[in-house]
Amino acid sequence: MLRDILRAAGERRVALAGAAAVAALLAAGGAVLGPRSALAQPPAAAAPPALVVLLVVDQLRPDYLTRWAPQLTGGLGRLARTGTFFPRAQQDHAITQTAPGHSTTLSGRFPAHTGIITNARGVPDPLAPIIGAPDAEPASPRRFQGTTLYDWMLAADPGTRVLSASRKDRGAILPVGRARGDVYWYGVNGEFTTSRYYRDTLPGWVQAWNARRGVARLAGTTWQPLLAADAYAEPDSQRWENYGRDFVFPHRLPTALDSLVQRIRYVPWMDSLTLDLALEGVRQTGLGHRARPDLLVVSLSTVDAVGHDFGPDSRELHDQVLRTDHWLDWFLDSLATLVPRERTLFALTADHGVQSIPAFVREVRRRPSQPLWLASLARELRTAFAARFHSDAGFAFEYGLLLADTSELRARALDVDSLSEALAARVRTLPGIAHVYTPRTLRAAPASDTLARRWRHSIPPEYGWLFAATPLPDYPWEPQEEGNHGTPNAADVGVPIIFAGPGIPARRDERVVRTVDIAPTLAAILGVRPTQPLDGRPIPGLAPPRATDGGRR
């Protein structure tokens, strides 16, 4: 069938819209803030921040902060109660993975403009080997396009310093952008490290922190729930959790170091290690001790790990959120001993949400659900194309998007539009598919089409692609039964956004804001100017009146 589609495409070649038209469409696709009625007055003037802190909790859905609010007595709860909490915030793009989500947080731009559209096309870089781990996957921000808040702060003050820490390389790298600085992540050897994009050797304080052997000290630790069993509404015996193995508390960490180094990534203590490294970095580098502000970025990854393995409806996930709250409480108090609380400005968000494990949806909610993955279609296309042209044309499937070298297709006299439509028609017949766009239909979609807007925010103008498919709710992009994200549907795009610190009012704000609004809002509060057009803009009621809309037109 695919050979017939390729043959038909070659017989019906038509003119295509130019790249400039696609770029203009993408640029015009920006969403706006939600309803603006009853806006609070701008905050009163306060002492200028000495430290800006971005906290990204990977896969933190906003409903966790409301569902378990009475139990969140630590850092998460404190920030939500003492700052401005936006429970209806969004990652307003289609491919809701870690890399594209993190790329929006301090850039003020959508993945279509940062160039970071998926994890696979995020930070992997063969030119940037990892210090102390030559066999680990190299990583750098080389693919990232444009600037971030850190660049704008540097433009205003060349003495600005940055520290970024995460379990994941992409979580540490992408909020900072292409600038070189103190950027560290957890390595395959059980230590925090960085790549040679940033430096040739680890600084002494990181080496000293690694020498404490914090991971090794956790060997044999048992993960028990923090609270009594009746404090959790979720049952602790759901066989679809953790791929059907070790799905009941307690969970014991390995005693063998090699196993522990890998397993620690997926259990609560990884977040405590990340926060401890970040705190030590602030202490050793003197971050926040200048008249003008520095930048600290901390991305916590364990909610994501537990959410994938056990699902968002599990007792393990509930407990992990409570532990994140607990450790953030310790972190906030400890940070305040180094940088005065009244001179620290916080922003907290997530890189994406998550959907329930399909088996949970089928068996508990009694709704249809199954994982979807179309990589086999890309393989069939590569095989069919190779049989005819002795080339694979770069066909690849990534989270709803079928990519291809469309220049090569055209060079071989294929009609890309007709090929796209034929493939889209085939995918539309599959169970669980809600909508499929081709480049032509995406260009024609009205501004009111939310899915089209999110796909425009995801696909850079220079990318070659044939269709963009969106599944129904409860149908995640995933080859197997696990909690996953990656679609433009509500469960995946919903994230919390919280601003807290000097001059920030304590309130819950129901407006729809986006992660691309975080950086321009922080810039406006700091009085620094973005150095390029943005997709986001300062949020009214948080930024001072002098702030101007730096949004993309």
Side-chain angles (χ1 to χ4, degrees):
M1 176 179 179
L2 288 169
R3 292 185 182 182
D4 295 337
I5 290 174
L6 289 169
R7 186 179 303 111
E11 293 169 354
R12 292 185 293 163
R13 190 177 189 181
V14 297
L16 298 174
V22 178
L25 180 63
L26 287 166
V32 297
L33 296 172
R36 300 187 180 188
S37 58
L39 292 182
Q41 293 298 314
L51 184 65
V52 179
V53 182
L54 173 70
L55 299 168
V56 183
V57 182
D58 197 321
Q59 204 189 102
L60 183 71
R61 286 195 337 202
D63 61 296
Y64 300 162
L65 299 184
T66 54
R67 193 193 321 172
W68 301 318
Q71 298 174 335
L72 297 177
T73 58
L76 284 173
R78 186 197 309 184
L79 291 172
R81 289 189 299 272
T82 62
T84 297
F85 171 32
F86 296 92
R88 300 176 62 210
Q90 298 176 350
Q91 286 278 2
D92 196 18
H93 54 264
I95 301 179
T96 45
Q97 284 193 289
T98 296
H102 276 82
S103 82
T104 68
T105 53
L106 289 184
S107 70
R109 292 170 296 117
F110 296 119
H113 301 127
T114 65
I116 307 297
I117 68 168
T118 64
N119 285 346
R121 297 166 191 269
V123 299
D125 178 7
L127 300 178
I130 306 303
I131 295 174
D135 296 331
E137 184 174 51
S140 86
R142 226 177 294 270
R143 284 194 179 98
F144 183 91
Q145 299 169 13
T147 59
T148 69
L149 176 68
Y150 179 53
D151 296 297
W152 314 336
M153 293 170 71
L154 276 174
D157 174 17
T160 304
R161 296 168 299 179
V162 67
L163 170 64
S164 184
S166 176
R167 189 264 281 181
K168 297 181 179 180
D169 50 7
R170 50 195 177 269
I173 291 170
L174 292 170
V176 177
R178 295 175 66 92
R180 288 172 168 83
D182 282 300
V183 178
Y184 306 102
W185 57 90
Y186 183 74
V188 296
N189 57 359
E191 298 180 346
F192 277 84
T193 186
T194 190
S195 78
R196 295 190 184 275
Y197 177 90
Y198 295 102
R199 56 176 64 239
D200 293 327
T201 59
L202 291 175
W205 71 266
V206 176
Q207 295 181 46
W209 190 94
N210 285 330
R212 298 177 190 170
R213 295 174 53 82
V215 173
R217 294 181 182 184
L218 292 168
T221 299
T222 299
W223 178 12
Q224 293 274 20
L226 276 177
L227 305 180
D230 59 4
Y232 301 87
E234 305 82 9
D236 187 32
S237 58
Q238 310 211 63
R239 63 188 180 279
W240 49 79
E241 295 176 3
N242 204 28
Y243 316 99
R245 59 182 186 272
D246 189 24
F247 54 85
V248 177
F249 277 112
H251 305 288
R252 186 175 176 82
L253 274 63
T255 55
L257 184 59
D258 287 350
S259 298
L260 177 64
V261 163
Q262 298 306 314
R263 182 59 187 153
I264 198 71
R265 300 167 183 264
Y266 307 99
V267 295
W269 289 272
M270 187 72 247
D271 283 352
S272 69
L273 294 169
T274 305
L275 288 166
D276 190 63
L277 177 85
L279 190 66
E280 182 65 10
V282 173
R283 181 180 294 113
Q284 295 297 332
T285 63
L287 225 64
H289 286 185
R290 304 180 316 119
R292 302 193 67 172
D294 293 318
L295 176 63
L296 173 64
V297 177
V298 184
S299 178
L300 303 177
S301 305
T302 312
V303 170
D304 180 75
V306 175
H308 279 294
D309 289 350
F310 293 91
D313 311 285
S314 65
R315 183 174 296 186
E316 283 80 0
L317 189 280
H318 185 166
D319 193 68
Q320 171 56 33
V321 172
L322 298 182
R323 288 177 179 271
T324 303
D325 178 64
H326 170 79
W327 279 318
L328 275 176
D329 201 45
W330 163 81
F331 175 77
L332 296 180
D333 286 343
S334 300
L335 183 64
T337 68
L338 302 175
V339 182
R341 197 184 306 273
E342 64 273 13
R343 297 204 62 201
T344 306
L345 173 63
F346 292 94
L348 181 144
T349 191
D351 51 351
H352 51 71
V354 67
Q355 297 189 60
S356 297
I357 295 176
F360 173 86
V361 177
R362 294 192 302 268
E363 299 192 29
V364 176
R365 294 178 179 158
R366 303 296 180 183
R367 296 202 302 258
S369 177
Q370 67 181 55
L372 299 176
W373 199 245
L374 303 181
S376 60
L377 176 59
R379 288 194 297 270
E380 290 179 54
L381 281 165
R382 289 195 297 270
T383 300
F385 198 84
R388 182 172 177 185
F389 297 111
H390 307 289
S391 171
D392 67 10
F395 292 109
F397 175 77
E398 296 186 25
Y399 286 81
L401 194 62
L402 185 69
L403 297 161
D405 186 341
T406 52
S407 296
E408 180 176 355
L409 298 181
R410 294 188 185 97
R412 297 184 183 278
L414 294 178
D415 173 2
V416 175
D417 276 344
S418 62
L419 174 60
S420 294
E421 186 49 51
L423 292 170
R426 174 177 169 176
V427 172
R428 289 186 188 104
T429 66
L430 299 177
I433 297 296
H435 201 287
V436 185
Y437 297 100
T438 66
R440 177 185 288 174
T441 59
L442 187 61
R443 288 192 296 270
S448 59
D449 187 333
T450 299
L451 290 178
R453 183 187 76 230
R454 289 178 180 157
W455 277 112
R456 290 170 184 150
H457 291 170
S458 274
I459 307 173
E462 70 274 11
Y463 269 64
W465 61 285
L466 298 175
F467 68 71
T470 301
L472 293 167
D474 296 326
Y475 285 77
W477 291 126
E478 172 59 41
Q480 59 186 337
E481 292 267 348
E482 68 171 36
N484 205 15
H485 46 86
T487 80
N489 291 326
D492 287 344
V493 302
V495 297
I497 291 179
I498 300 172
F499 293 90
I504 303 295
R507 68 169 187 262
R508 178 180 170 124
D509 193 317
E510 297 294 336
R511 285 177 290 168
V512 177
V513 298
R514 308 154 306 167
T515 55
V516 292
D517 299 321
I518 295 173
T521 300
L522 292 173
I525 294 171
L526 297 176
V528 301
R529 183 179 296 276
T531 58
Q532 67 179 124
L534 305 181
D535 297 310
R537 59 184 179 178
I539 299 172
L542 289 177
R546 67 175 180 274
T548 58
D549 184 350
R552 187 182 298 271
R553 293 292 186 238

